[in-house]
């Protein structure tokens, strides 16, 4: 910060203020907001934080924020918003209606939009465009023109200096991030979510786009602005299907280059089979299968954290990327690109639509803890908040850009407004026209969804649609069905809650099933208690030296029992209560009965999670459980170097599970640098995205556990093998038994109790295991590895539906009680012996 910075001036003026950055622990993968949420719950959160406009609504619903009405004004006419005549803070009147709507809930205001605005469009390399014979000052305006640019900029066999993997040059970087897909949907007239308002006069429902602020019915001219809307996800409608279809075309269109003109020729399946295209002029173009090019993009899944698509742009591996362009000098800082080689254009218009630039304007909000401060401290926080959002802060950033020689990347309106009109000559003509088109409305400014819980909806789209479409197995992916499924999930709890009319008919049946399950659960718990009591009554407890009073052992156990109760049973009971509430981190937790369980069973994804869990359990039993048994048998038969081989297989156990998972993630790297793909190359096979392929993802998440855990497990079985009397094997040999006869009639029967105990324990553990899945796939691709444990984590820490998460956990725990009783019964019958030699 410089002395002219408004925040520095404020702290110099008011010595009682000290503004500092807030830091917290970070969680590898998953929800980056989890530390912040826990800080809010623990009253250790910062006073102010930047609330993304697409998550502010969810923050308000969770009670994270302190309302700003004591400074901004009150909703005196009870229309659910602060009108301009109700505002006592002058700055409220200067905020556009859309942004006021984003920050308001039930007449309470929870944030102020920041002064700076982020723009996201297509950033491209002007030098690469010129080399392809294209004009950088005349960028694509339609989807067809964009496809043509991508084809001209795609050179599959080109050697790229400095590239980690030689994959040639591609026109565009296509990412799995659905928020970068939204402008394509909006460019064809679509809206990711819509608001439905029903006329109180006619009862007719009218649908308006997500960002509409004026609600006049087209037929009766009725004003519906006071009607409470119903919000629904609509990213499965026709415009969305068109946009996702264009994504599929960019990724998978088969085409060739005309050997004479070098112009691209799109192929039909019949033309590709025939190996020939007949042009309109009558000339025939023949080609070999090796000449066929698939797609015009380089897919970016984010699987390799050491590389970004900005690096691809810097090295010339792609010519265009979708990203922010407010400050093109940031590209030089991050990837070393000369910003003078960069330019931007809007997402081209789809059929019947207009070009789009995605706009992001985030908010500064107060956390809930500010409400516990005295008035003088709250006023101080408000003072800092105003400075953070002031126009002076934005203007200070513009001045720094100009004085550092980067005026060409500043919005021309800001240059004129701040008296830097002479610098307009430095702005390229294409950028001048670009900003002029935005001001004139020829380019639409669109946002991400800001109502509902978009973070959960985005995860649905990322995992189940875009990531699968761009994966190596995505050419025949049914993206239309996936869009329908994803939107249905968003409208059934992930983004917008089910309506009372949907839930009410299921309540009687839910209570009947609940009573039945509760009785079965109580039966198993009673049997477990009975089994333990019988064991105590029938066992002979001998007197032990030093124990003279019967209450002494109980007294010594109290500290341990207290810790178990505090860290084990209290959270368990708390979770049971949460399952019957609409739980929020902050605020009230109303009782809702069995509605959480009804929502779970009405959600198709729950059954997919059960299927994935069963599949995970089966594979785990086949690999994790059986491999140590086979390994122990082999280790017991090794004549020489027994200690060496046992040490080799035991060493992976010394590393933590997280280290092992991340190590294997590098080995599974989808490009040629991954160890697994290097082995495939040695076998003359093409590299593969192992974690992104639904056929292999599940097994790939289990293999690290097999590799790391089979050593210690095999030693346990090896110790049991040493406990089998040698006389049994000698007798079998005298009777003519071979190796397999000894296994069948001696080894396995003797190991049966230990195998059964481990089987039940391993089976229960597989239902609770999700560590490797969390680090390797996060439940993807699609929902292929979305086991119940992973689903519970996402519901709690990503979707903020803690009651749903605890309800799912109780369902899983209830299903495993029977296996716990079985394990106890088996343990009672097991005789443990000491083995002298291992």
């Amino acid at each position: 910060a410089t002395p002219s910075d408004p925040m520095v001036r404020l702290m110099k003026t008011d010595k009682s203020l000290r503004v500092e950055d807030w830091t917290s622990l970070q969680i590898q993968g998953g929800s980056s907001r989890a530390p912040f949420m826990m800080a809010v719950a623990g009253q250790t959160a910062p006073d102010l934080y930047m609330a993304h406009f697409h998550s502010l609504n969810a923050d308000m619903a969770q009670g994270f924020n302190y309302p700003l009405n004591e400074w901004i004004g009150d909703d005196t006419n009870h229309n659910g918003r602060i009108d301009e005549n109700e505002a006592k803070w002058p700055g409220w009147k200067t905020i556009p209606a859309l942004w006021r709507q984003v920050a308001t809930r039930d007449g309470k205001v929870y944030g102020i939009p920041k002064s700076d605005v982020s723009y996201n469009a297509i950033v491209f390399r002007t030098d690469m465009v010129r080399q392809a014979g294209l004009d950088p000052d005349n960028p694509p305006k339609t989807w067809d023109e964009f496809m043509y640019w991508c084809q001209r900029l795609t050179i599959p066999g080109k050697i790229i200096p400095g590239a980690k993997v030689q994959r040639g040059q591609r026109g565009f970087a296509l990412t799995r991030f659905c928020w970068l897909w939204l402008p394509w949907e909006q460019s064809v007239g679509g809206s990711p979510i819509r608001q439905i308002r029903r006329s109180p006069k006619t009862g007719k429902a009218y649908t308006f786009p997500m960002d509409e602020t004026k609600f006049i019915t087209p037929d009766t001219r009725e004003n519906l602005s006071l009607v409470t809307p119903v919000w629904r996800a609509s990213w499965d409608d026709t415009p969305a299907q068109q946009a996702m279809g264009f994504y599929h075309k960019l990724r998978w269109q088969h085409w060739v280059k005309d050997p004479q003109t070098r112009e691209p020729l799109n192929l039909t399946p019949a033309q590709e089979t025939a190996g020939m295209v007949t042009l309109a002029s009558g000339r025939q173009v023949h080609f070999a299968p090796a000449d066929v090019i698939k797609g015009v993009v380089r897919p970016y899944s984010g699987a390799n954290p050491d590389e970004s698509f900005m690096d691809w742009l810097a090295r010339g591996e792609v010519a265009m990327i979708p990203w922010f362009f407010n400050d093109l000098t940031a590209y030089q800082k991050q990837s070393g690109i000369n910003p003078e080689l960069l330019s931007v254009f809007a997402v081209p218009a789809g059929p019947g639509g207009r070009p789009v630039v995605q706009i992001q304007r985030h908010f500064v909000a107060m956390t809930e803890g500010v409400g516990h401060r005295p008035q003088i401290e709250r006023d101080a926080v408000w003072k800092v908040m105003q400075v953070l959002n002031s126009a002076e802060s934005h203007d200070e950033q513009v001045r720094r850009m100009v004085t550092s020689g980067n005026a060409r990347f500043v919005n021309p309106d800001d240059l004129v407004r701040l008296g830097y009109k002479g610098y307009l000559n430095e702005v390229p003509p294409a950028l001048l026209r670009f900003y002029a088109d935005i001001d004139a409305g020829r380019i639409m400014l669109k946002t991400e969804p800001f109502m509902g819980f978009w973070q959960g909806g985005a995860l649905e789209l990322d995992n189940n649609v875009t990531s699968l479409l761009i994966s190596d197995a995505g050419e025949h992916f049914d993206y239309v069905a996936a869009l329908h499924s994803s939107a249905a999930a968003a409208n059934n709890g992930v983004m917008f809650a089910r309506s009372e009319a949907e839930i009410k008919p299921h309540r009687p049946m839910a209570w009947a099933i609940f009573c039945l399950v509760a009785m079965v659960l109580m039966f198993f718990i009673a049997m477990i208690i009975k089994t333990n009591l019988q064991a105590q009554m029938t066992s002979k407890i001998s007197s032990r030296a030093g124990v003279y009073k019967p209450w002494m052992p109980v007294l010594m156990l109290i500290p341990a029992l207290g810790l178990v109760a505090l860290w084990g049973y209290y959270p368990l009971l708390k979770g049971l209560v949460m399952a019957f509430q609409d739980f929020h981190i902050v605020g009230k937790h109303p009782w809702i009965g069995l509605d959480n369980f009804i929502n779970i069973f009405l959600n198709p994804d729950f059954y997919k999670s059960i299927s994935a869990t069963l599949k995970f359990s089966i594979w785990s039993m086949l690999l994790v459980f059986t491999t140590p048994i086979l390994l122990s048998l082999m280790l017991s038969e090794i004549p020489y170097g027994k200690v060496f081989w046992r040490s080799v297989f035991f060493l992976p156990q010394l590393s933590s599970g997280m280290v092992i998972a991340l190590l294997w993630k590098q080995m599974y790297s989808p490009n040629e640098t991954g160890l697994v793909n290097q082995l495939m190359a040695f076998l003359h096979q093409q590299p593969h995205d192992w974690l992104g392929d639904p056929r292999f993802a599940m097994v790939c998440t289990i293999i690290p556990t097999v590799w790391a855990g089979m050593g210690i497990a095999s030693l346990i079985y090896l110790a049991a093998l040493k406990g089998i009397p040698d006389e049994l094997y000698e007798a079998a040999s005298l009777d003519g038994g071979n190796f397999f006869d000894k296994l069948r009639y001696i080894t396995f029967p003797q190991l049966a109790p230990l195998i059964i105990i481990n089987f039940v324990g391993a089976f229960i553990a597989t239902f609770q295991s999700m560590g490797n899945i969390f680090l390797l796939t996060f439940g993807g691709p699609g929902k292929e590895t979305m086991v119940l444990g992973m689903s519970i984590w996402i519901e709690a820490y990503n979707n903020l539906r803690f009651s749903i998460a605890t309800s799912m956990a109780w369902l899983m725990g209830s299903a495993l009680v029977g296996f716990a009783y079985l394990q106890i019964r088996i343990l009672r019958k097991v005789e443990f012996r000491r083995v002298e030699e291992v």
Side-chain angles (χ1 to χ4, degrees):
T2 62
S4 60
D5 188 283
M7 188 58 65
V8 175
R9 294 201 306 267
L10 175 64
M11 287 191 288
K12 286 184 176 180
T13 303
D14 189 344
K15 300 295 185 180
S16 65
L17 290 176
R18 182 175 179 84
V19 181
E20 297 179 350
D21 286 336
W22 179 80
T23 58
S24 67
L25 295 174
Q26 297 299 315
I27 296 178
Q28 170 94 11
S31 174
S32 60
R33 304 195 72 218
F36 171 73
M37 293 187 296
M38 296 301 101
V40 172
Q43 297 293 319
T44 60
D47 295 321
L48 298 172
Y49 76 105
M50 187 181 75
H52 294 120
F53 72 93
H54 49 263
S55 63
L56 179 59
N57 186 265
D59 291 353
M60 291 187 283
Q62 289 292 328
F64 289 169
N65 309 114
Y66 180 70
L68 310 176
N69 295 69
E70 61 188 84
W71 301 287
I72 291 179
D74 295 312
D75 177 21
T76 57
N77 61 4
H78 305 291
N79 63 355
R81 61 177 183 266
I82 308 299
D83 298 320
E84 291 186 7
N85 62 328
E86 297 172 323
K88 58 184 180 182
W89 176 54
W92 185 250
K93 303 175 183 179
T94 65
I95 299 174
L98 175 63
W99 305 111
R100 295 203 298 260
Q101 177 184 346
V102 172
T104 305
R105 183 185 179 92
D106 299 329
K108 300 293 185 181
V109 179
Y110 292 94
I112 301 176
K114 297 182 66 179
S115 57
D116 57 313
V117 179
S118 298
Y119 297 96
N120 174 37
I122 310 297
V123 179
F124 68 98
R125 288 270 299 265
T126 56
D127 56 331
M128 296 176 67
V129 167
R130 289 192 180 92
Q131 291 172 7
L134 302 169
D135 183 5
D137 291 329
N138 188 26
K141 296 180 176 58
T142 66
W143 286 2
D144 290 339
E145 292 178 7
F146 182 78
M147 182 69 182
Y148 178 76
W149 263 46
C150 287
Q151 289 175 320
R152 291 291 299 269
L153 290 164
T154 296
I155 310 174
K158 184 177 180 179
I159 302 299
I160 308 296
K164 296 181 179 179
V165 178
Q166 291 296 337
R167 291 191 174 182
Q169 176 182 308
R170 291 281 171 165
F172 188 55
L174 197 67
T175 78
R176 60 167 292 177
F177 308 128
C178 67
W179 60 274
L180 292 173
W181 166 78
L182 293 179
W184 297 92
E185 180 199 14
Q186 293 159 334
S187 73
V188 73
S191 180
I193 64 173
R194 298 183 184 275
Q195 45 184 316
I196 303 170
R197 295 175 180 256
R198 190 172 297 275
S199 168
K201 296 180 180 179
T202 65
K204 184 178 179 180
Y206 296 87
T207 301
F208 297 92
M210 170 185 68
D211 51 3
E212 184 61 70
T213 57
K214 297 179 180 179
F215 308 99
I216 307 299
T217 60
D219 47 2
T220 62
R221 309 304 298 171
E222 181 183 0
N223 188 351
L224 302 181
S225 59
L226 297 181
V227 175
T228 302
V230 175
W231 295 85
R232 306 298 287 173
S234 58
W235 57 69
D236 60 338
D237 57 9
T238 299
Q241 294 176 26
Q242 288 179 292
M244 198 60 70
F246 186 65
Y247 250 44
H248 188 274
K249 182 178 180 180
L250 290 172
R251 176 69 173 95
W252 296 108
Q253 173 68 58
H254 290 209
W255 60 286
V256 295
K257 289 188 177 182
D258 189 326
Q260 292 186 14
T261 64
R262 307 305 297 170
E263 288 293 306
L265 302 173
N266 294 328
L267 301 176
T268 65
Q271 291 170 337
E272 185 173 356
T273 302
M276 180 187 68
V277 176
T278 302
L279 304 180
S281 62
R283 180 168 62 89
Q284 293 183 335
V285 177
H286 295 269
F287 56 87
D291 298 326
V292 177
I293 304 171
K294 285 187 179 181
V296 293
V297 300
R298 176 99 172 257
Y300 180 77
S301 65
N304 187 356
D306 298 327
E307 191 172 46
S308 70
F309 51 79
M310 198 178 295
D311 297 323
W312 296 348
L313 183 70
R315 291 191 292 263
E317 296 179 72
V318 297
M320 300 179 287
I321 64 172
W323 206 240
F324 299 99
F325 62 87
N326 296 59
D327 182 4
L328 291 178
T329 59
Y331 289 72
Q332 185 176 31
K333 299 174 184 176
Q334 295 182 37
S335 299
I337 313 175
N338 183 352
E340 296 185 1
L341 298 177
L342 300 177
S343 189
V344 298
F345 62 88
V347 170
R354 283 190 293 164
V356 169
V357 166
Q358 188 179 82
I359 181 174
Q360 293 193 3
R361 189 174 184 181
H362 301 305
F363 289 74
V364 174
M366 289 186 189
T367 54
E368 179 268 345
V370 175
H372 305 296
R373 302 281 196 89
Q375 182 67 50
I376 188 172
E377 293 183 14
R378 294 204 304 271
D379 289 339
V381 176
W382 168 250
K383 185 185 298 185
V384 173
M385 189 176 190
Q386 292 182 84
V387 171
L388 284 173
N389 293 355
S390 65
E392 288 80 7
S393 295
H394 172 72
D395 294 346
E396 178 64 19
Q397 295 178 15
V398 173
R399 294 187 184 96
R400 291 178 192 172
M401 289 282 291
V402 174
T403 56
S404 62
N406 295 304
R408 70 192 307 269
F409 303 120
V410 175
N411 189 319
D413 292 340
D414 288 334
L415 292 177
V416 174
R417 180 173 55 83
L418 296 178
Y420 296 116
K421 190 174 182 179
Y423 287 91
L424 289 177
N425 295 330
E426 298 182 16
V427 182
L431 287 178
L432 287 174
R433 289 197 304 270
F434 179 74
Y435 283 109
D437 287 341
I438 291 178
D439 294 338
R442 290 184 290 270
I443 293 177
M444 296 188 297
L445 297 178
K446 293 292 184 178
T447 72
E448 290 182 68
F450 51 83
M451 294 300 294
F453 191 71
W454 167 236
Q455 189 172 352
L459 185 65
E460 278 287 328
L461 271 171
D462 281 349
N463 285 354
N464 303 315
V465 187
T466 51
S467 63
L468 294 178
L469 185 145
I470 70 170
S471 70
D472 292 344
E475 184 170 3
H476 304 291
F477 172 61
D478 187 355
Y479 57 84
V480 174
L483 284 171
H484 284 308
S485 175
S486 176
N491 289 325
N492 291 324
V494 170
M495 195 168 175
F496 302 108
R498 280 188 173 86
S499 65
E500 173 69 14
E502 292 178 279
I503 296 178
K504 187 175 180 180
H506 300 281
R507 285 179 180 145
M509 179 63 71
W511 278 108
I513 296 175
F514 174 78
C515 293
L516 178 62
V517 172
M519 287 188 293
V520 173
L521 185 61
M522 291 175 64
F523 169 78
F524 277 111
I525 293 175
M527 292 300 296
I528 291 173
I529 296 174
K530 180 181 177 182
T531 301
N532 288 332
L533 291 177
Q534 288 177 346
Q536 292 179 7
M537 294 296 293
T538 56
S539 63
K540 296 180 180 180
I541 305 176
S542 61
S543 62
R544 299 180 182 274
V547 179
Y548 300 100
K549 298 180 180 180
W551 49 264
M552 183 61 70
V554 177
L555 182 63
M556 296 178 68
L557 283 174
I558 287 178
L561 292 174
L563 290 174
V564 171
L566 177 63
W567 300 109
Y569 287 99
Y570 174 74
L572 196 66
L573 295 176
K574 182 68 175 178
L576 178 61
V577 173
M578 288 171 59
F580 297 94
Q581 295 176 326
D582 182 13
F583 184 85
H584 299 90
I585 293 179
V586 179
K588 298 180 180 179
H589 319 302
W591 294 90
I592 58 174
L594 296 178
D595 287 3
N596 289 319
F597 296 96
I598 295 173
N599 276 306
I600 290 172
F601 283 104
L602 290 180
N603 186 1
D605 289 341
F606 175 65
Y607 303 98
K608 294 179 182 178
S609 294
I610 293 177
S611 175
T613 303
L614 292 174
K615 184 178 178 181
F616 180 76
S617 298
I618 292 172
W619 275 111
S620 294
M621 291 297 100
L622 290 175
L623 298 176
V624 179
F625 179 71
T626 59
T627 303
I629 299 175
L630 299 176
L631 179 61
S632 65
L633 292 173
M634 290 187 289
L635 290 175
S636 66
E637 297 298 324
I638 294 177
Y640 304 104
K642 291 183 178 182
V643 175
F644 170 76
W645 289 111
R646 293 176 190 179
S647 301
V648 167
F649 287 105
F650 180 77
L651 283 176
Q653 185 70 28
L654 301 179
S655 297
S656 70
M658 178 179 291
V659 171
I660 291 170
L662 295 176
L663 173 65
W664 276 86
K665 189 172 186 177
Q666 293 291 331
M667 295 168 64
Y668 286 135
S669 180
N671 54 39
E672 289 84 347
T673 61
L675 179 60
V676 177
N677 277 334
Q678 290 181 24
L679 296 175
M680 297 300 293
F682 180 76
L683 299 174
H684 306 289
Q685 300 294 320
Q686 293 296 319
H688 194 76
D689 185 1
W690 299 99
L691 296 176
D693 192 328
R695 297 170 298 177
F696 304 110
M698 183 67 79
V699 176
C700 288
T701 61
I702 297 173
I703 289 177
T705 303
V706 178
W707 178 76
M710 65 180 178
I712 183 65
S714 66
L715 293 182
I716 296 174
Y717 285 110
L718 191 61
L721 286 173
K722 292 299 181 181
I724 301 176
D726 293 335
E727 294 82 359
L728 295 177
Y729 292 112
E730 294 173 0
S733 299
L734 293 175
D735 290 339
N738 56 29
F739 175 77
F740 294 102
D741 292 331
K742 296 176 183 178
L743 286 179
R744 179 180 179 184
Y745 295 107
I746 299 176
T747 305
F748 285 128
Q750 292 290 321
L751 292 179
L754 180 60
I755 292 175
I756 294 174
I757 292 172
N758 285 345
F759 177 84
V760 176
F763 187 78
I764 294 174
T766 58
F767 273 81
Q768 302 169 335
S769 176
M770 48 79 77
N772 284 353
I773 291 175
F774 182 92
L775 293 171
L776 296 179
T777 64
F778 204 66
K783 295 189 181 298
E784 188 63 28
T785 61
M786 187 62 70
V787 296
L788 277 173
M790 188 73 248
S791 183
I792 290 170
W793 194 96
I794 288 177
E795 287 290 356
Y797 296 104
N798 193 82
N799 297 348
L800 304 184
R801 299 200 298 174
F802 295 95
S803 295
I804 293 288
T806 53
S807 300
M808 292 176 64
W810 267 100
L811 288 173
M812 182 174 68
S814 300
L816 295 176
V817 166
F819 289 99
Y821 172 69
L822 177 62
Q823 188 178 35
I824 292 173
R825 295 280 297 182
I826 294 171
L827 283 172
R828 284 187 58 204
K829 301 177 181 179
V830 174
E831 177 185 356
F832 294 94
R833 293 177 297 177
R834 178 180 177 183
V835 180
E836 298 295 338
E837 178 187 357
V838 178

